[in-house]
Coordinates of all heavy atoms in Angstrom, one line a residue:
Chain X
Y25 N 88.5 136.2 9.4 CA 89.5 137.3 9.7 C 90.9 136.8 9.2 O 91.2 135.6 9.1 CB 89.5 137.6 11.2 CG 89.9 136.5 12.1 CD1 91.2 136.3 12.4 CD2 89.0 135.6 12.5 CE1 91.6 135.2 13.3 CE2 89.3 134.5 13.3 CZ 90.6 134.3 13.7 OH 91.0 133.3 14.5
E26 N 91.7 137.8 9.0 CA 93.1 137.6 8.7 C 94.0 138.4 9.6 O 93.8 139.6 9.7 CB 93.4 137.9 7.2 CG 92.7 137.1 6.2 CD 93.0 137.6 4.8 OE1 94.1 138.2 4.6 OE2 92.1 137.5 3.9
T27 N 95.0 137.7 10.2 CA 96.0 138.5 10.9 C 97.2 137.5 11.1 O 97.1 136.3 11.2 CB 95.5 138.9 12.3 OG1 96.6 139.6 13.0 CG2 95.0 137.8 13.1
R28 N 98.4 138.1 11.2 CA 99.6 137.3 11.4 C 100.0 137.3 12.9 O 100.9 136.6 13.3 CB 100.8 137.9 10.6 CG 100.6 137.7 9.2 CD 101.8 138.2 8.4 NE 101.6 138.1 6.9 CZ 102.3 138.7 6.0 NH1 103.2 139.6 6.4 NH2 102.0 138.6 4.7
D29 N 99.3 138.2 13.7 CA 99.6 138.2 15.1 C 99.0 137.0 15.8 O 98.0 136.5 15.4 CB 99.0 139.5 15.7 CG 99.7 140.7 15.1 OD1 100.9 140.8 15.2 OD2 99.0 141.6 14.6
T30 N 99.7 136.6 16.9 CA 99.1 135.5 17.7 C 98.2 136.0 18.8 O 97.4 135.2 19.3 CB 100.3 134.8 18.4 OG1 101.1 135.7 19.1 CG2 101.2 134.1 17.3
T31 N 98.3 137.3 19.1 CA 97.4 137.9 20.1 C 96.5 138.8 19.4 O 96.9 139.8 18.7 CB 98.2 138.6 21.2 OG1 99.1 137.8 21.8 CG2 97.2 139.2 22.2
Y32 N 95.2 138.6 19.5 CA 94.2 139.5 18.8 C 92.9 139.3 19.5 O 92.7 138.4 20.3 CB 94.1 139.2 17.3 CG 93.8 137.7 17.0 CD1 92.5 137.2 16.9 CD2 94.9 136.9 16.7 CE1 92.3 135.9 16.5 CE2 94.7 135.5 16.4 CZ 93.4 135.1 16.3 OH 93.2 133.8 15.9
Y33 N 92.0 140.2 19.2 CA 90.7 140.2 19.8 C 89.6 140.4 18.7 O 89.9 141.1 17.7 CB 90.5 141.4 20.8 CG 91.3 141.2 22.0 CD1 92.7 141.5 22.0 CD2 90.8 140.7 23.2 CE1 93.5 141.4 23.2 CE2 91.5 140.6 24.4 CZ 92.9 140.9 24.3 OH 93.6 140.7 25.5
L34 N 88.6 139.7 18.8 CA 87.5 139.7 17.9 C 86.2 140.3 18.5 O 86.0 140.0 19.7 CB 87.2 138.3 17.3 CG 88.4 137.8 16.5 CD1 88.2 136.3 16.3 CD2 88.4 138.4 15.1
F35 N 85.4 141.0 17.8 CA 84.3 141.6 18.3 C 83.1 141.5 17.4 O 83.3 141.3 16.2 CB 84.5 143.2 18.5 CG 85.6 143.5 19.4 CD1 86.9 143.5 18.9 CD2 85.4 143.9 20.7 CE1 88.0 143.9 19.7 CE2 86.5 144.3 21.5 CZ 87.8 144.3 21.0
W36 N 81.9 141.5 17.9 CA 80.7 141.7 17.1 C 79.9 142.9 17.7 O 79.8 143.1 18.9 CB 79.8 140.5 17.2 CG 80.1 139.4 16.3 CD1 80.9 138.3 16.5 CD2 79.7 139.3 14.9 NE1 81.0 137.5 15.4 CE2 80.3 138.1 14.4 CE3 78.9 140.1 14.1 CZ2 80.1 137.7 13.1 CZ3 78.7 139.6 12.8 CH2 79.2 138.5 12.3
Y37 N 79.5 143.7 16.7 CA 78.6 144.9 17.1 C 77.3 144.8 16.3 O 77.3 144.3 15.2 CB 79.3 146.2 16.7 CG 80.4 146.6 17.7 CD1 81.7 146.1 17.6 CD2 80.1 147.5 18.7 CE1 82.7 146.5 18.5 CE2 81.1 147.9 19.6 CZ 82.4 147.4 19.5 OH 83.3 147.8 20.4
K38 N 76.3 145.3 16.9 CA 75.0 145.4 16.2 C 74.6 146.9 16.0 O 74.8 147.7 16.8 CB 73.9 144.8 17.1 CG 72.5 144.9 16.7 CD 71.5 144.3 17.7 CE 70.1 144.5 17.2 NZ 69.2 143.9 18.2
Q39 N 74.1 147.1 14.8 CA 73.7 148.5 14.5 C 72.2 148.4 14.0 O 71.9 148.1 12.9 CB 74.5 149.1 13.3 CG 74.2 150.6 13.1 CD 75.1 151.2 12.1 OE1 75.5 150.6 11.1 NE2 75.5 152.5 12.3
P40 N 71.3 148.7 15.0 CA 69.9 148.6 14.6 C 69.5 149.8 13.7 O 70.3 150.7 13.5 CB 69.2 148.8 16.0 CG 70.2 149.4 16.9 CD 71.5 149.0 16.3
P41 N 68.3 149.8 13.2 CA 67.9 150.9 12.3 C 68.0 152.3 12.9 O 68.2 153.3 12.2 CB 66.4 150.6 12.0 CG 66.3 149.1 12.2 CD 67.3 148.7 13.3
S42 N 68.0 152.4 14.2 CA 68.2 153.7 14.8 C 69.6 154.2 14.7 O 69.9 155.4 14.9 CB 67.8 153.6 16.3 OG 68.4 152.5 16.9
G43 N 70.5 153.4 14.3 CA 71.9 153.8 13.9 C 73.0 153.7 14.9 O 74.2 153.8 14.6
E44 N 72.7 153.5 16.2 CA 73.8 153.4 17.2 C 74.5 152.1 17.0 O 74.0 151.1 16.4 CB 73.3 153.6 18.6 CG 72.5 152.4 19.1 CD 71.0 152.6 18.8 OE1 70.6 153.3 17.9 OE2 70.2 151.9 19.6
L45 N 75.7 152.0 17.5 CA 76.5 150.8 17.5 C 76.6 150.2 18.9 O 77.0 150.8 19.9 CB 78.0 151.1 17.1 CG 78.1 151.3 15.6 CD1 79.5 152.1 15.3 CD2 78.1 150.1 14.8
V46 N 76.1 148.9 19.0 CA 75.9 148.2 20.2 C 76.9 147.1 20.3 O 76.9 146.2 19.5 CB 74.5 147.7 20.4 CG1 74.4 147.0 21.7 CG2 73.5 148.9 20.3
F47 N 77.7 147.1 21.3 CA 78.7 146.0 21.6 C 78.0 144.7 21.9 O 77.1 144.8 22.8 CB 79.7 146.4 22.7 CG 80.5 145.3 23.2 CD1 81.6 144.8 22.5 CD2 80.3 144.8 24.5 CE1 82.3 143.8 23.0 CE2 81.0 143.8 25.0 CZ 82.1 143.3 24.3
L48 N 78.4 143.6 21.3 CA 77.7 142.3 21.6 C 78.7 141.4 22.4 O 78.4 140.8 23.4 CB 77.2 141.6 20.4 CG 76.1 142.3 19.6 CD1 75.8 141.5 18.4 CD2 74.9 142.5 20.5
I49 N 79.9 141.3 21.8 CA 80.9 140.3 22.4 C 82.3 140.6 22.0 O 82.5 141.2 21.0 CB 80.5 138.9 22.0 CG1 81.3 137.9 22.8 CG2 80.8 138.7 20.5 CD1 80.9 136.4 22.6
R50 N 83.2 140.2 22.9 CA 84.6 140.3 22.6 C 85.2 138.9 22.9 O 84.9 138.3 23.9 CB 85.3 141.3 23.5 CG 86.8 141.4 23.3 CD 87.5 142.3 24.3 NE 87.7 141.6 25.6 CZ 88.8 141.8 26.4 NH1 89.6 142.8 26.1 NH2 88.9 141.2 27.5
R51 N 86.1 138.5 22.1 CA 86.8 137.2 22.2 C 88.3 137.4 22.0 O 88.7 138.1 21.1 CB 86.3 136.2 21.2 CG 85.6 135.0 21.6 CD 85.9 134.3 22.7 NE 85.1 133.3 23.2 CZ 84.7 133.3 24.5 NH1 84.9 134.4 25.2 NH2 84.1 132.3 25.0
N52 N 89.1 136.9 22.9 CA 90.6 136.9 22.6 C 91.1 135.7 22.0 O 90.4 134.6 22.0 CB 91.4 137.3 23.9 CG 91.5 136.1 24.8 OD1 92.0 135.1 24.5 ND2 91.1 136.3 26.1
S53 N 92.2 135.8 21.3 CA 92.7 134.7 20.5 C 93.1 133.4 21.3 O 93.3 132.4 20.7 CB 93.9 135.2 19.7 OG 94.9 135.7 20.5
F54 N 93.2 133.6 22.6 CA 93.6 132.4 23.4 C 92.4 131.7 24.0 O 92.6 130.7 24.7 CB 94.5 132.8 24.5 CG 95.8 133.5 24.0 CD1 96.0 134.8 24.1 CD2 96.8 132.7 23.4 CE1 97.1 135.5 23.6 CE2 97.9 133.3 22.9 CZ 98.1 134.7 23.0
D55 N 91.2 132.1 23.7 CA 90.0 131.5 24.3 C 89.1 131.1 23.1 O 88.3 131.9 22.6 CB 89.3 132.6 25.2 CG 88.1 132.0 25.8 OD1 87.8 130.8 25.7 OD2 87.4 132.7 26.6
E56 N 89.2 129.8 22.8 CA 88.4 129.3 21.7 C 87.0 128.7 22.2 O 86.3 128.1 21.4 CB 89.1 128.2 21.0 CG 90.2 128.8 20.0 CD 90.7 127.7 19.0 OE1 89.9 127.4 18.0 OE2 91.8 127.2 19.2
Q57 N 86.7 128.9 23.4 CA 85.4 128.4 23.9 C 84.3 129.2 23.2 O 84.3 130.4 23.1 CB 85.3 128.7 25.4 CG 85.6 127.5 26.3 CD 85.2 127.7 27.7 OE1 85.2 128.8 28.2 NE2 84.7 126.7 28.4
N58 N 83.3 128.4 22.9 CA 82.1 129.1 22.3 C 81.3 129.8 23.4 O 81.4 129.4 24.6 CB 81.2 128.0 21.6 CG 81.9 127.5 20.3 OD1 82.7 128.2 19.7 ND2 81.6 126.3 20.0
E59 N 80.6 130.8 23.0 CA 79.9 131.6 24.0 C 78.4 131.6 23.6 O 78.1 131.7 22.4 CB 80.5 133.0 24.0 CG 79.7 134.0 24.8 CD 80.5 134.5 26.0 OE1 81.7 134.1 26.1 OE2 80.0 135.3 26.8
I60 N 77.6 131.5 24.7 CA 76.2 131.6 24.5 C 75.6 132.7 25.4 O 76.0 132.7 26.6 CB 75.5 130.3 24.8 CG1 76.0 129.2 23.8 CG2 74.0 130.4 24.6 CD1 75.5 127.8 24.1
S61 N 74.8 133.5 24.8 CA 74.1 134.5 25.6 C 72.7 134.6 25.2 O 72.4 135.2 24.2 CB 74.8 135.9 25.5 OG 74.1 136.9 26.2
G62 N 71.8 133.9 25.9 CA 70.4 133.9 25.5 C 70.2 133.2 24.1 O 70.6 132.1 23.9
R63 N 69.7 133.9 23.2 CA 69.5 133.4 21.8 C 70.7 133.6 20.9 O 70.7 133.1 19.8 CB 68.3 134.1 21.2 CG 67.0 133.8 21.9 CD 65.8 134.5 21.1 NE 65.9 136.0 21.1 CZ 66.2 136.6 20.0 NH1 66.5 136.0 18.9 NH2 66.3 138.0 20.1
Y64 N 71.7 134.2 21.4 CA 72.9 134.5 20.7 C 74.0 133.5 21.0 O 74.2 133.2 22.2 CB 73.4 135.9 21.0 CG 72.6 137.1 20.5 CD1 72.9 138.4 20.9 CD2 71.4 136.9 19.8 CE1 72.1 139.5 20.5 CE2 70.7 138.0 19.4 CZ 71.0 139.3 19.8 OH 70.2 140.3 19.4
S65 N 74.7 133.1 20.0 CA 75.9 132.2 20.3 C 77.0 132.5 19.3 O 76.7 133.0 18.2 CB 75.5 130.7 20.3 OG 75.1 130.4 19.0
W66 N 78.2 132.3 19.7 CA 79.3 132.6 18.9 C 80.3 131.4 18.8 O 80.5 130.7 19.8 CB 80.1 133.8 19.4 CG 79.4 135.1 19.3 CD1 79.4 136.0 18.3 CD2 78.4 135.6 20.2 NE1 78.6 137.0 18.5 CE2 78.0 136.8 19.7 CE3 78.0 135.2 21.5 CZ2 77.0 137.7 20.4 CZ3 77.0 136.0 22.1 CH2 76.6 137.2 21.6
N67 N 80.7 131.1 17.6 CA 81.6 130.0 17.3 C 82.9 130.5 16.8 O 83.0 131.0 15.7 CB 80.9 129.0 16.3 CG 81.7 127.8 16.1 OD1 83.0 127.8 16.2 ND2 81.1 126.7 15.7
F68 N 84.0 130.4 17.7 CA 85.3 130.9 17.3 C 86.2 129.7 16.9 O 86.3 128.8 17.8 CB 85.9 131.6 18.5 CG 87.3 132.1 18.3 CD1 87.8 132.4 17.1 CD2 88.1 132.2 19.4 CE1 89.1 132.9 16.9 CE2 89.4 132.7 19.3 CZ 89.9 133.0 18.0
Q69 N 86.7 129.6 15.7 CA 87.5 128.5 15.3 C 88.8 129.1 14.7 O 88.8 129.6 13.5 CB 86.8 127.7 14.3 CG 85.7 126.9 14.9 CD 85.2 125.7 14.0 OE1 85.5 125.7 12.8 NE2 84.6 124.7 14.6
K70 N 89.9 129.0 15.4 CA 91.2 129.5 14.9 C 91.6 128.7 13.7 O 92.3 129.3 12.8 CB 92.2 129.4 16.0 CG 92.0 130.4 17.1 CD 93.0 130.3 18.2 CE 94.4 130.8 17.9 NZ 95.3 130.8 19.0
S71 N 91.3 127.5 13.6 CA 91.8 126.6 12.5 C 91.2 127.2 11.1 O 91.9 127.0 10.1 CB 91.3 125.2 12.6 OG 89.9 125.1 12.7
T72 N 90.1 127.8 11.2 CA 89.5 128.3 9.9 C 89.4 129.9 10.0 O 88.8 130.5 9.1 CB 88.1 127.8 9.7 OG1 87.3 128.1 10.9 CG2 88.1 126.3 9.5
S73 N 90.0 130.5 11.0 CA 90.0 131.9 11.2 C 88.6 132.5 11.0 O 88.3 133.4 10.3 CB 90.9 132.6 10.1 OG 92.3 132.2 10.3
S74 N 87.7 131.8 11.8 CA 86.3 132.3 11.7 C 85.8 132.6 13.1 O 86.2 132.0 14.1 CB 85.5 131.2 11.0 OG 85.4 130.0 11.7
F75 N 84.8 133.5 13.1 CA 84.2 133.9 14.3 C 82.7 134.1 14.0 O 82.3 135.3 13.9 CB 84.8 135.1 14.9 CG 84.3 135.5 16.3 CD1 84.1 134.5 17.3 CD2 84.1 136.8 16.6 CE1 83.6 134.9 18.5 CE2 83.7 137.2 17.9 CZ 83.4 136.3 18.8
N76 N 81.9 133.0 13.9 CA 80.6 133.1 13.4 C 79.6 133.4 14.5 O 79.8 132.9 15.6 CB 80.2 131.9 12.6 CG 81.1 131.7 11.4 OD1 81.6 132.6 10.8 ND2 81.2 130.4 10.9
F77 N 78.5 134.0 14.1 CA 77.5 134.5 15.1 C 76.2 133.9 14.7 O 75.7 134.0 13.6 CB 77.5 136.0 15.0 CG 76.4 136.7 15.8 CD1 75.9 136.1 17.0 CD2 75.8 137.9 15.4 CE1 74.9 136.7 17.7 CE2 74.8 138.5 16.1 CZ 74.4 138.0 17.3
T78 N 75.5 133.2 15.6 CA 74.2 132.5 15.4 C 73.2 133.1 16.3 O 73.4 133.2 17.5 CB 74.3 131.0 15.6 OG1 75.3 130.4 14.6 CG2 73.0 130.3 15.4
I79 N 72.0 133.4 15.6 CA 70.9 133.9 16.4 C 69.9 132.7 16.3 O 69.5 132.3 15.2 CB 70.3 135.2 15.8 CG1 71.3 136.3 15.8 CG2 69.0 135.6 16.6 CD1 70.9 137.6 15.2
T80 N 69.4 132.2 17.4 CA 68.5 131.1 17.4 C 67.1 131.7 17.6 O 66.9 132.7 18.4 CB 68.8 130.2 18.6 OG1 70.1 129.7 18.5 CG2 67.8 129.0 18.7
A81 N 66.1 131.2 16.9 CA 64.7 131.6 17.0 C 64.7 133.1 16.8 O 64.3 133.9 17.7 CB 64.1 131.2 18.3
S82 N 65.1 133.6 15.7 CA 65.2 135.0 15.4 C 63.9 135.8 15.6 O 62.8 135.2 15.5 CB 65.7 135.3 14.0 OG 64.8 134.7 13.1
Q83 N 64.0 137.0 16.0 CA 62.9 137.9 16.2 C 63.0 139.1 15.4 O 64.1 139.5 15.0 CB 62.8 138.3 17.7 CG 62.6 137.1 18.6 CD 62.6 137.5 20.1 OE1 62.7 138.7 20.4 NE2 62.6 136.5 21.0
V84 N 61.9 139.8 15.1 CA 61.9 141.0 14.3 C 62.9 142.0 14.9 O 63.6 142.8 14.1 CB 60.5 141.6 14.2 CG1 60.5 143.0 13.5 CG2 59.6 140.6 13.4
V85 N 63.0 142.1 16.2 CA 63.9 143.1 16.8 C 65.4 142.8 16.6 O 66.2 143.6 16.9 CB 63.7 143.1 18.4 CG1 62.3 143.7 18.7 CG2 63.9 141.8 19.0
D86 N 65.7 141.6 16.0 CA 67.0 141.3 15.7 C 67.4 141.9 14.3 O 68.6 141.9 13.9 CB 67.2 139.8 15.6 CG 67.0 139.1 16.9 OD1 67.4 139.6 17.9 OD2 66.5 137.9 16.9
S87 N 66.5 142.5 13.6 CA 66.8 143.1 12.4 C 67.8 144.3 12.6 O 67.5 145.2 13.4 CB 65.5 143.7 11.7 OG 64.6 142.6 11.4
A88 N 68.9 144.2 11.9 CA 70.0 145.2 12.1 C 71.1 144.9 11.2 O 71.1 143.8 10.5 CB 70.5 145.1 13.6
V89 N 72.1 145.7 11.2 CA 73.3 145.4 10.5 C 74.3 144.9 11.6 O 74.4 145.6 12.6 CB 73.9 146.6 9.8 CG1 75.2 146.2 9.1 CG2 72.9 147.1 8.8
Y90 N 75.0 143.8 11.3 CA 75.9 143.2 12.3 C 77.3 143.3 11.7 O 77.6 142.9 10.6 CB 75.5 141.8 12.6 CG 74.2 141.7 13.4 CD1 73.0 141.6 12.7 CD2 74.2 141.6 14.8 CE1 71.8 141.5 13.4 CE2 73.0 141.6 15.5 CZ 71.8 141.5 14.8 OH 70.7 141.4 15.5
F91 N 78.2 143.8 12.6 CA 79.6 144.0 12.2 C 80.5 143.1 13.0 O 80.4 143.0 14.2 CB 80.0 145.5 12.4 CG 79.4 146.4 11.5 CD1 78.3 147.1 11.9 CD2 79.9 146.7 10.2 CE1 77.7 148.1 11.0 CE2 79.3 147.6 9.4 CZ 78.2 148.3 9.8
C92 N 81.4 142.5 12.3 CA 82.5 141.8 13.0 C 83.8 142.7 12.9 O 84.0 143.4 11.9 CB 82.7 140.5 12.2 SG 84.0 139.4 12.9
A93 N 84.6 142.6 13.9 CA 85.8 143.5 13.9 C 86.9 142.8 14.6 O 86.7 141.9 15.4 CB 85.5 144.8 14.6
L94 N 88.1 143.3 14.4 CA 89.4 142.7 14.8 C 90.3 143.8 15.4 O 90.5 144.8 14.7 CB 90.0 142.0 13.7 CG 91.5 141.5 13.8 CD1 91.6 140.3 14.7 CD2 92.0 141.2 12.4
I95 N 90.9 143.5 16.5 CA 92.1 144.3 17.0 C 93.2 143.2 17.1 O 93.0 142.2 17.7 CB 91.9 144.9 18.3 CG1 90.9 146.1 18.2 CG2 93.2 145.5 18.9 CD1 90.6 146.7 19.5
S96 N 94.4 143.5 16.5 CA 95.5 142.6 16.6 C 96.8 143.3 16.9 O 97.0 144.4 16.6 CB 95.6 141.7 15.4 OG 96.2 142.4 14.3
G97 N 97.7 142.5 17.6 CA 99.0 143.0 17.9 C 98.9 144.2 18.9 O 98.0 144.3 19.7
N98 N 99.8 145.2 18.8 CA 99.8 146.3 19.6 C 99.0 147.5 19.1 O 98.8 148.5 19.7 CB 101.2 146.8 19.8 CG 102.1 145.8 20.6 OD1 101.5 145.1 21.5 ND2 103.3 145.6 20.2
N99 N 98.4 147.3 17.9 CA 97.7 148.3 17.3 C 96.3 148.3 17.9 O 95.6 147.4 17.9 CB 97.6 148.0 15.8 CG 96.9 149.2 15.1 OD1 96.3 150.0 15.6 ND2 97.1 149.2 13.8
R100 N 95.9 149.5 18.4 CA 94.6 149.6 19.1 C 93.5 149.8 18.1 O 92.3 149.9 18.5 CB 94.7 150.8 20.0 CG 93.5 151.0 20.9 CD 93.4 149.9 21.9 NE 92.3 150.1 22.8 CZ 91.0 149.8 22.5 NH1 90.8 149.3 21.4 NH2 90.1 150.0 23.4
K101 N 93.7 149.8 16.8 CA 92.7 150.1 15.8 C 91.8 148.9 15.5 O 92.3 147.8 15.3 CB 93.4 150.6 14.5 CG 92.4 151.2 13.5 CD 93.1 151.8 12.3 CE 93.4 150.8 11.3 NZ 93.9 151.4 10.0

Side-chain angles (χ1 to χ4, degrees):
Chain X
Y25 62 92
E26 294 176 31
T27 179
R28 292 180 184 165
D29 295 304
T30 55
T31 302
Y32 52 90
Y33 292 80
L34 295 161
F35 302 81
W36 276 95
Y37 282 84
K38 173 182 179 180
Q39 187 174 40
S42 50
E44 70 271 22
L45 283 163
V46 179
F47 165 73
L48 295 178
I49 190 171
R50 180 188 81 149
R51 242 328 170 232
N52 74 57
S53 53
F54 300 108
D55 183 2
E56 282 194 78
Q57 259 193 328
N58 291 332
E59 175 115 0
I60 298 174
S61 176
R63 296 183 297 105
Y64 293 174
S65 63
W66 290 268
N67 184 333
F68 176 29
Q69 291 198 337
K70 287 175 77 170
S71 60
T72 56
S73 297
S74 64
F75 187 42
N76 296 337
F77 173 31
T78 297
I79 302 175
T80 303
S82 59
Q83 299 176 2
V84 173
V85 293
D86 296 325
S87 297
V89 180
Y90 292 86
F91 291 95
C92 182
L94 164 74
I95 290 177
S96 73
N98 294 321
N99 189 341
R100 187 68 179 80
K101 187 173 87 171

